[in-house]
Amino acid sequence: MTTNTENQNNSLDIVKWGLVIILLAAAVIGNQMYSEASAVIRALSVIVAFAIAGFIALQTVKGKKALAFAREAHIEVRKVVWPTRQEALNTTFIVLAATGILALILWGMDAVLMRIVNFITGV
């Protein structure tokens, strides 16, 4: 019995995804075909088509899983302890200083190795 229900849901999801693809393609093609129309009307039409396609996509099994994942991710982001502005600035300066020092070291090694190669090859 559950297999029959899963097959019905799967086939219905395929139809929904097909409708989503058709709506998105229609939005893109329609926007191109009616390029002489007002940009505001075309933009609103594309936004409405994308919103309807998104609503239909959220009615599928994968869409529901994606929405649940997004909600859980939002909850986790709220739990993060973000650094203060001063901590972020200090970390940025440390990274910049370390990058500068490493660049100078690599530049010096390059110069030394180039002189060694020039000495060996006589160029």
Side-chain angles (χ1 to χ4, degrees):
M1 182 117 172
T2 57
T3 307
N4 189 22
T5 305
E6 287 176 6
N7 288 341
Q8 286 177 345
N9 284 341
N10 189 24
S11 63
L12 191 56
D13 278 358
I14 291 171
V15 170
K16 289 177 184 176
W17 282 114
L19 186 58
V20 166
I21 291 171
I22 290 170
L23 272 170
L24 294 177
V28 171
I29 293 169
N31 188 35
Q32 246 179 351
M33 286 179 60
Y34 295 106
S35 60
E36 68 278 350
S38 171
V40 174
I41 293 172
R42 287 187 301 135
L44 287 176
S45 300
V46 169
I47 290 171
V48 168
F50 273 58
I52 292 171
F55 178 76
I56 293 171
L58 287 176
Q59 303 308 311
T60 64
V61 173
K62 287 187 179 186
K64 289 177 183 175
K65 285 182 181 179
L67 186 61
F69 176 77
R71 286 183 179 148
E72 291 171 11
H74 180 68
I75 290 169
E76 290 299 319
V77 166
R78 288 194 334 216
K79 293 178 184 177
V80 172
V81 178
W82 297 100
T84 63
R85 180 174 174 83
Q86 190 60 42
E87 290 171 337
L89 283 173
N90 289 343
T91 305
T92 302
F93 291 139
I94 291 170
V95 168
L96 289 174
T99 303
I101 291 169
L102 189 60
L104 289 173
I105 290 171
L106 290 174
W107 174 71
M109 287 176 56
D110 181 52
V112 169
L113 289 173
M114 193 174 355
R115 288 188 185 208
I116 291 172
V117 170
N118 286 341
F119 178 74
I120 292 173
T121 60
V123 177

